[in-house]
Amino acid sequence: MNRIEKRPLNSIGYNFIPEPYRPEGKDEYHLRNIQNRSGIVYRNLSAYEIEVLVRNNNTSDDWAKLLVSNAFNPELVKNCKFFGLVRIGKLEPVALEFHNVSMPVGLYNSTIISCDFGDNVVVSNVNYMANYIVGNEVMLQNIHELTTTNHAKFGNGVLKQGEAESVRIWLEVCNENAGRKILPFVTMMPGDAYLWSKHRDDDALMQRFKELTDNKFDPQRGFYGKIGDRSVIKNTSIIKDVWVGSDAYIKGANKLKNLTLNSSPESPSQIGEGCELVNGIIEEGCRIFYGVKAVRFFMASHSQLKYGARLINSYLGNNATISCCEVLNSLIFPAHEQHHNNSFLCAALVMGQSNIAAGATIGSNHNSRAADGEIVAGRGFWPGLCVSLKHNSKFASFTLIAKGDYPAELNIPLPFSLVNNEVKSNKLVIMPAYWFLYNMYALARNSSKYVDRDKRQVKVPYIEYDFLAPDSVNEVFTALDLLREFTALAFGVQAGDRQALLAAGDALINEKKAALGATEITARGFENTRRPVQIIKVWEAYSVYKRLIVFYGITHLLQYIEQNEAASLEAVLEAITGAGKRQEWTNLGGQLMLQSSLKSLLDNIKSGVVNSWDEVHEYYHENSDLYFEQKRQHAFASLLEVLQLPENGLTAPLLKELLQQALQTKEWMVKNIYDSRAKDYESPYRQMVYENEAEMENVVGRLEDNVFIEQQQQELSDFTKTIRTVINRFRL
């Protein structure tokens, strides 16, 4: 039975904060008065103003509770019902226009309960509006219900006075059984979500994260909802417990409940038709349109949900887009793309620069009796059309998965690989370094386009988009060892220890290129089946991997020379030899951080040295400032390691050889970028839909005019000049 309470008519608009929750000596408006920072001086109505209001068919339970500014015009208030304390700013006989809709300033045909208004607002046909503070030049039109409760939390995972722990809102990311649940809060960064979801073995740390979140918010009841300056809300049904920033635009939404919608003049946020959003936080610059359904969610800045997308129990990182499809229980780092109505992502940690194709089902639980599986995918994760992956699976950076139904769990530690379920021969086939061998254009453009699409006003912390970075390069070192090991085993090497096995594998790869193609090299531990897992093009991948590390090291060496204006070869060699050992890194929500630095942060959080989320974010920023130097040191250490040189082993002749090799690698990359794109123009199957070349070029553009290719060719020209300058300056 519905519980409908009968109360006195004169109770409407009063006792917003029940007596038990009011601080001693405070009234029910004490928080509202703190929140209202408009600076408007309000006064009581004059007898004439009351007469005009009554003549215009307005009513109030107590005209003494209707306060106005000196620039108030009673002629601009018509057919309204007022209850409780209502304060109204300047009203001038002007119209506000937004997106070709013009409306007169004033309050019309609305029921208004205990609200504050800034200057020159439009409130028209708002059927029920209670407990909101509205900024200047706000337009509110055709809204059924716009209310705030005294226990509103605006999407934050906290409790108000007197609430039970059971009502707290958690985000159950990465795992459907809530084993990695986190508390959302305004300003939460992808790194925060990752740390909280990851370190589940540390109870003390989990408790500290909860404390930091609770301490961030005032548990008092009675905070009003706010609608920031110049925000426009129209043709919307229900808005309950929603905090709206300035310059936001909401049109045609069905239901918005328990949300923060951050917005700003520089990065306005928008919510469009048919959307239903509950228990979420939406950061600046976000766009949500056309039938989106989102429940228990966080959208970082400049992310988008479109065309019926469903986002549930998930964190969506900055500059990401999800269209049409369904995403459940996932933690997604910045720069994620997922389109098409029939793709599905569930219980996954996706570490950015990812693209989920149509028909992809990432996270099927059909191989388990429990909803506790997970998928972990490094940067650049790209499952192709109609890929079906099972829990648990794990993928190194920039893994491309060919179309197919993968029957078992996968663990692919080889970065830049193509993974193929070869049904005919019943084996899993992996081609390491695929991108560099066959689709350099897509790989390079992946890194470039996300830099251009990063719309954050302040790009701190630095998000790494380069495909050669500490995380991926460390994976390349792991891959080199695995290729050595698998090759040695394929040739029947019997070694006493792993180092001897790796040395034998290295010799075989370098000395028996022809034999490698005729020998089936298989991997162990890559798939949870008994069928073979074949590694193909081992020699090519091995060579490319080593070549990439050298290129990574030399590229950062050239940057060091340019930035420090190094005048002598000795200074350069000293910088390289002082790099130390290659260190381990963590992808912390798109920001790469040394594991040693991360450990210090976690220790400081547990000990109380770091005592707020703001301090955690300050630590991120400090490490972001250090990143480029730390990355350079990693590149130098990687260079020495791949060449198997001691710290002082790099000589001038060898440096010259490496510079020339890096130039050859850059030339090879740029050529591959051009060639891989040229295939789309040269294939007769691409050409057959056009009557002639002119038609094709008018539709898809000329290859010679490709801006990205032109950019890469310019980079090659600059790279060539830099290397020649260095060789001449140091007389190498």
Side-chain angles (χ1 to χ4, degrees):
M1 178 174 76
N2 290 341
R3 182 180 177 183
I4 298 176
E5 298 180 3
K6 292 182 179 179
R7 294 181 177 176
L9 187 61
N10 61 8
S11 68
I12 298 177
Y14 300 97
N15 203 35
F16 182 61
I17 306 176
E19 188 67 36
Y21 300 112
R22 293 183 201 168
E24 185 176 351
K26 302 290 186 181
D27 62 18
E28 65 170 301
Y29 307 123
H30 73 281
L31 293 176
R32 171 181 176 180
N33 292 333
I34 294 172
Q35 288 182 272
N36 188 335
R37 303 183 181 92
S38 67
I40 298 172
V41 177
Y42 298 102
R43 60 170 175 82
N44 290 107
L45 293 166
S46 67
Y48 170 75
E49 288 169 332
I50 294 175
E51 179 183 342
V52 172
L53 290 171
V54 171
R55 187 172 67 239
N56 287 341
N57 201 31
N58 299 291
T59 64
S60 173
D61 68 314
D62 184 352
W63 290 112
K65 295 287 182 156
L66 183 59
L67 305 181
V68 298
S69 77
N70 284 331
F72 171 74
N73 185 341
E75 296 288 357
L76 304 182
V77 181
K78 299 178 181 179
N79 300 317
C80 290
K81 299 177 182 178
F82 297 100
F83 297 90
L85 176 63
V86 176
R87 300 185 288 205
I88 305 172
K90 179 194 302 183
L91 294 180
E92 296 178 302
V94 296
L96 300 185
E97 180 177 336
F98 184 76
H99 286 192
N100 299 315
V101 174
S102 295
M103 297 196 64
V105 160
L107 286 68
Y108 308 99
N109 308 310
S110 300
T111 297
I112 298 168
I113 302 169
S114 195
C115 293
D116 290 347
F117 298 93
D119 292 336
N120 289 329
V121 300
V122 172
V123 180
S124 178
N125 296 320
V126 179
N127 293 344
Y128 188 93
M129 179 177 181
N131 307 112
Y132 261 91
I133 298 172
V134 179
N136 300 320
E137 298 183 2
V138 169
M139 299 176 68
L140 306 176
Q141 178 190 21
N142 298 336
I143 302 171
H144 292 160
E145 179 182 338
L146 177 60
T147 63
T148 303
T149 62
N150 66 47
H151 52 82
K153 294 168 280 291
F154 307 109
N156 296 291
V158 295
L159 298 176
K160 293 295 182 177
Q161 294 168 320
E163 289 188 317
E165 186 66 33
S166 59
V167 306
R168 193 189 289 267
I169 299 298
W170 294 84
L171 300 189
E172 298 171 3
V173 298
C174 298
N175 193 298
E176 290 181 277
N177 71 358
R180 297 190 185 275
K181 64 183 181 180
I182 62 176
L183 293 176
F185 58 88
V186 172
T187 73
M188 189 180 209
M189 300 178 70
D192 305 335
Y194 174 72
L195 292 179
W196 201 333
S197 67
K198 181 66 176 174
H199 298 273
R200 311 310 289 196
D201 57 331
D202 193 331
D203 293 338
L205 182 63
M206 296 297 103
Q207 182 60 34
R208 285 290 291 147
F209 285 148
K210 186 177 179 183
E211 291 171 3
L212 297 188
T213 304
D214 283 336
N215 293 341
K216 187 176 175 67
F217 300 95
D218 190 333
Q220 291 186 84
R221 289 178 181 243
F223 284 95
Y224 277 42
K226 292 191 75 172
I227 300 174
D229 296 346
R230 299 173 302 280
S231 286
V232 178
I233 306 175
K234 65 180 185 180
N235 305 323
T236 293
S237 184
I238 298 173
I239 302 176
K240 185 173 183 179
D241 292 348
V242 178
W243 182 289
V244 181
S246 72
D247 301 274
Y249 184 29
I250 301 172
K251 57 174 181 174
N254 292 341
K255 181 177 183 180
L256 308 177
K257 181 180 178 183
N258 190 29
L259 304 173
T260 289
L261 176 64
N262 282 329
S263 183
S264 69
E266 300 79 16
S267 301
S269 293
Q270 299 184 21
I271 299 175
E273 295 83 351
C275 294
E276 296 168 9
L277 314 175
V278 179
N279 300 335
I281 296 173
I282 303 159
E283 293 287 17
E284 293 182 352
C286 289
R287 295 175 177 242
I288 307 171
F289 290 118
Y290 309 128
V292 166
K293 316 298 179 187
V295 180
R296 298 195 182 215
F297 67 99
F298 193 109
M299 292 179 65
S301 65
H302 304 282
S303 54
Q304 299 185 70
L305 296 176
K306 301 186 295 185
Y307 310 126
R310 281 86 74 203
L311 182 70
I312 301 170
N313 265 316
S314 295
Y315 185 108
L316 181 63
N318 312 79
N319 302 295
T321 299
I322 295 178
S323 300
C324 309
C325 49
E326 185 171 7
V327 176
L328 311 174
N329 303 95
S330 293
L331 170 53
I332 301 171
F333 287 1
H336 174 82
E337 297 286 332
Q338 186 169 353
H339 308 282
H340 312 292
N341 193 48
N342 53 349
S343 67
F344 176 73
L345 179 67
C346 181
L349 169 61
V350 183
M351 294 188 173
Q353 291 172 262
S354 38
N355 196 317
I356 311 295
T361 303
I362 313 301
S364 168
N365 271 321
H366 295 170
N367 59 331
S368 173
R369 290 178 295 275
D372 57 2
E374 300 178 20
I375 283 177
V376 178
R379 287 195 297 133
F381 180 57
W382 197 330
L385 296 170
C386 300
V387 162
S388 176
L389 298 175
K390 304 293 189 290
H391 292 137
N392 293 338
S393 290
K394 187 174 181 180
F395 303 94
S397 300
F398 297 95
T399 299
L400 173 64
I401 306 173
K403 176 180 179 179
D405 183 3
Y406 290 79
E409 303 91 329
L410 299 173
N411 179 22
I412 310 299
L414 308 179
F416 308 106
S417 291
L418 171 64
V419 180
N420 180 31
N421 179 30
E422 196 170 277
V423 177
K424 183 177 180 180
S425 58
N426 191 29
K427 60 185 177 183
L428 187 70
V429 179
I430 299 174
M431 185 192 303
Y434 160 81
W435 292 104
F436 300 96
L437 298 172
Y438 294 104
N439 202 345
M440 191 68 214
Y441 180 89
L443 178 65
R445 186 172 176 273
N446 178 285
S447 295
S448 176
K449 72 180 182 182
Y450 287 122
V451 173
D452 297 335
R453 294 178 184 178
D454 190 346
K455 303 303 181 184
R456 294 176 298 159
Q457 293 297 309
V458 179
K459 294 179 173 56
V460 178
Y462 179 81
I463 297 176
E464 181 61 86
Y465 296 120
D466 197 332
F467 54 80
L468 290 180
D471 59 338
S472 58
V473 170
N474 280 354
E475 290 177 333
V476 168
F477 275 101
T478 299
L480 286 171
D481 279 349
L482 289 172
L483 293 181
R484 295 177 185 120
E485 177 184 345
F486 297 149
T487 299
L489 294 174
F491 280 84
V493 173
Q494 300 292 324
D497 57 41
R498 190 163 189 266
Q499 290 306 313
L501 190 70
L502 297 180
D506 180 71
L508 285 166
I509 294 173
N510 290 322
E511 296 170 7
K512 295 192 175 184
K513 175 181 177 181
L516 289 177
T519 303
E520 183 170 298
I521 297 175
T522 57
R524 300 179 180 182
F526 280 29
E527 185 183 49
N528 187 23
T529 63
R530 295 182 180 179
R531 67 175 183 167
V533 176
Q534 183 180 2
I535 311 294
I536 62 174
K537 296 193 177 293
V538 171
W539 182 88
E540 292 86 347
Y542 191 76
S543 301
V544 168
Y545 279 154
K546 296 180 75 171
R547 196 172 176 180
L548 292 174
I549 297 172
V550 172
F551 180 75
Y552 171 66
I554 294 299
T555 299
H556 285 83
L557 172 63
L558 294 174
Q559 291 177 0
Y560 172 83
I561 293 172
E562 288 184 324
Q563 293 171 5
N564 294 275
E565 298 180 351
S568 68
L569 176 61
E570 290 71 22
V572 175
L573 296 178
E574 182 179 351
I576 296 175
T577 56
K581 298 294 184 183
R582 178 173 59 89
Q583 298 190 57
E584 295 300 316
W585 292 71
T586 295
N587 183 346
L588 192 62
Q591 174 186 6
L592 301 187
M593 185 181 293
L594 284 168
Q595 284 192 5
S596 56
S597 299
L598 177 56
K599 183 180 184 304
S600 295
L601 171 62
L602 299 180
D603 290 343
N604 288 340
I605 291 173
K606 287 197 293 183
S607 67
V609 173
V610 172
N611 208 31
S612 70
W613 282 115
D614 289 342
E615 292 177 10
V616 172
H617 297 165
E618 183 179 347
Y619 189 87
Y620 294 166
H621 294 175
E622 290 170 355
N623 277 266
S624 183
D625 293 339
L626 298 172
Y627 173 66
F628 296 100
E629 179 58 32
Q630 293 172 338
K631 181 181 179 182
R632 181 180 294 124
Q633 296 299 313
H634 179 271
F636 292 166
S638 299
L639 180 65
L640 294 176
E641 183 176 344
V642 77
L643 297 173
Q644 298 182 338
L645 292 175
E647 284 195 359
N648 60 352
L650 187 61
T651 63
L654 179 55
L655 178 58
K656 180 179 181 180
E657 180 183 335
L658 295 174
L659 288 168
Q660 293 171 335
Q661 180 181 331
L663 177 57
Q664 293 170 358
T665 300
K666 183 66 174 178
E667 292 171 341
W668 168 72
M669 285 181 171
V670 173
K671 183 179 183 301
N672 280 0
I673 289 171
Y674 181 89
D675 290 347
S676 57
R677 182 61 175 144
K679 294 175 185 176
D680 295 333
Y681 287 80
E682 296 166 356
S683 168
Y685 293 96
R686 295 278 185 169
Q687 297 172 351
M688 66 184 180
V689 296
Y690 309 105
E691 293 297 327
N692 51 57
E693 184 177 349
E695 181 188 352
M696 181 177 71
E697 290 181 346
N698 282 327
V699 173
V700 300
R702 296 196 325 144
L703 180 60
E704 291 75 13
D705 296 334
N706 185 292
V707 174
F708 177 69
I709 291 177
E710 289 179 353
Q711 175 189 334
Q712 294 300 308
Q713 290 171 340
Q714 183 60 49
E715 285 185 12
L716 173 59
S717 177
D718 295 341
F719 194 75
T720 303
K721 292 176 183 177
T722 301
I723 286 181
R724 288 173 179 168
T725 299
V726 169
I727 290 175
N728 292 332
R729 183 193 304 176
F730 298 148
R731 299 179 181 178
L732 297 177

